[in-house]
Amino acid sequence: MKAWTKNPAVKTTTGSTQTLAQGPTVKGVLTRTLRHALLAACAVAGGYTAAAQAAYPDHAITMIVPLAAGSAVDNAARLVAQEMAKDLGVAVVVENQPGAAGIIGADRVSKATPDGYTIGGFNDSILTMVPNLQNAMPWDPVRDFTPVSLATTFAWALVTTPSLHYKSAADLVAAARAAPGKLHYGSGGIGSPQHIAMALFAARNGLDIVHVPYKGASQAAVGVAAGEVQAAFEAVPTVKSLVDGKKLDLIGVCSEKELASLPGVKTISESGSVPFTFESWFVVVAPKKTPAPVVDRLNAAIKKALANPDLQQKLAAQGAFPRGSSAKELGDLTKSQLQVYKKLIDDNHIKVD
């Protein structure tokens, strides 16, 4: 009689002859069982992931704006977020987290869970200027964020303290040349667009004018109004209410042509300065590795919001221009402008104070 077992590791004996029984091994059975279990788990997990993405969003989204409340980007972000919420069916909550020219708030976005529920509303300085001025950064502007869309661009202007009675950019240039190192300008922080704009303007006009960083663009504008500093370059939406209230003198715009929203205000280039243009962006980004379907959903909501005539009118009244781009277009623009500002900063010897 021949003994038989399914386990070849167990030897059977028939008389004096030992034979290794044939059949499926315990190891083989366990391996196949484990493989099937893993495949099933992956399928289930994949199903859950796909279902989660298909259901996105199912609760409120937080948009981190790493800038002070009342800044141009903050104002635009709140308008766009409110309109996005209508399409997404959930609240889009704007949360300000200023500090270190946007580095702190941006760091929070870079380290957030990449599920589309924490996104960033940045200005271009955070992605293209600040990284060129810092020796060490806690995040990389290209590697650590997923582009979503270029939402708006902003017209910029030169503002001064009313008591100085400057009428044009040429007046500021003349005053700065007459008293080197005596005039001061405000900015939203080291590496902020206000800092870069005036540093470039001063370099091109051969001016010695002292930088005074504030904690945000709106605080810098108030500083000019109070006479703490004499001038600043600011996005038009940031200073419009102060200009309308006669708290600031707006003496030139940084566009190639005069703005319809500011009739009679000359461009900087027309007013006696060397040719000078400047604009900034409001962009939406997400943490790296955010799934493409989530990015696409956010992008579609932004574009739909920007197509709304009512929103367009509100943005235009603030000097903001709706854009709306693909995620790839924003990614390419970021990479390009990162190099453009590196050259400008290096060529003009702009340094962290």
Side-chain angles (χ1 to χ4, degrees):
M1 178 177 173
K2 183 178 179 181
W4 183 85
T5 175
K6 291 184 179 181
N7 187 351
V10 178
K11 294 181 180 180
T12 61
T13 302
T14 303
S16 62
T17 305
Q18 290 185 333
T19 61
L20 194 62
Q22 301 300 311
T25 69
V26 170
K27 180 179 179 181
V29 172
L30 290 175
T31 300
R32 283 194 295 273
T33 301
L34 181 59
R35 184 186 301 120
H36 292 157
L38 289 173
L39 289 173
C42 288
V44 170
Y48 282 145
T49 301
Q53 291 179 14
Y56 174 83
D58 62 8
H59 60 272
I61 297 167
T62 298
M63 180 185 291
I64 305 297
V65 174
L67 305 162
S71 64
V73 168
D74 179 60
N75 291 338
R78 292 177 186 280
L79 289 172
V80 173
Q82 184 177 17
E83 201 63 34
M84 287 174 64
K86 297 176 184 178
D87 180 53
L88 294 169
V90 298
V92 181
V93 181
V94 174
E95 182 180 332
N96 299 96
Q97 189 169 2
I103 293 176
I104 296 172
D107 187 53
R108 179 177 164 192
V109 176
S110 74
K111 292 177 172 58
T113 302
D115 56 7
Y117 290 101
T118 299
I119 58 178
F122 293 179
N123 64 2
D124 49 331
S125 169
I126 292 170
L127 296 175
T128 66
M129 302 177 196
V130 172
N132 283 312
L133 287 166
Q134 301 292 326
N135 293 325
M137 291 284 292
W139 42 262
D140 182 276
V142 174
R143 185 186 64 236
D144 292 332
F145 299 103
T146 299
V148 177
S149 180
L150 167 64
T152 68
T153 56
F154 302 101
W156 274 59
L158 176 60
V159 294
T160 56
T161 305
S163 61
L164 297 175
H165 304 295
Y166 295 156
K167 300 300 182 184
S168 68
D171 289 344
L172 175 65
V173 169
R177 286 176 177 167
K182 299 299 183 182
L183 293 184
H184 297 71
Y185 72 95
S187 83
I190 296 171
S192 66
Q194 300 81 28
H195 178 198
I196 298 301
M198 185 64 85
L200 290 172
F201 179 78
R204 292 178 183 178
N205 283 280
L207 308 180
D208 179 5
I209 182 168
V210 180
H211 177 214
V212 179
Y214 285 76
K215 291 184 178 180
S218 54
Q219 288 92 331
V222 171
V224 180
E228 297 170 352
V229 292
Q230 288 73 53
F233 277 109
E234 293 271 10
V236 171
T238 304
V239 297
K240 190 174 187 307
S241 62
L242 290 171
V243 171
D244 290 344
K246 309 299 182 183
K247 303 294 185 181
L248 289 174
D249 283 343
L250 195 158
I251 62 173
V253 291
C254 303
S255 51
E256 293 182 355
K257 299 179 180 180
E258 294 182 17
L259 300 177
S261 59
L262 295 170
V265 179
K266 291 183 178 181
T267 67
I268 300 295
S269 303
E270 291 173 330
S271 66
S273 163
V274 298
F276 184 80
T277 58
F278 193 85
E279 69 173 12
S280 61
W281 324 331
F282 157 44
V283 306
V284 177
V285 300
K288 63 182 177 181
K289 297 184 180 180
T290 298
V294 172
V295 173
D296 291 344
R297 182 70 184 95
L298 288 168
N299 181 275
I302 292 168
K303 287 181 176 178
K304 185 174 181 179
L306 295 172
N308 185 311
D310 182 55
L311 177 60
Q312 291 176 358
Q313 186 175 8
K314 290 176 181 177
L315 290 171
Q318 295 188 5
F321 305 99
R323 300 301 183 193
S325 73
S326 69
K328 182 180 184 305
E329 287 169 338
L330 174 56
D332 291 344
L333 182 61
T334 299
K335 293 174 186 176
S336 172
Q337 289 300 101
L338 190 63
Q339 295 306 310
V340 167
Y341 277 112
K342 176 176 173 50
K343 186 175 188 310
L344 285 172
I345 288 167
D346 290 346
D347 288 352
N348 290 281
H349 309 291
I350 301 171
K351 302 181 183 298
V352 174
D353 296 342

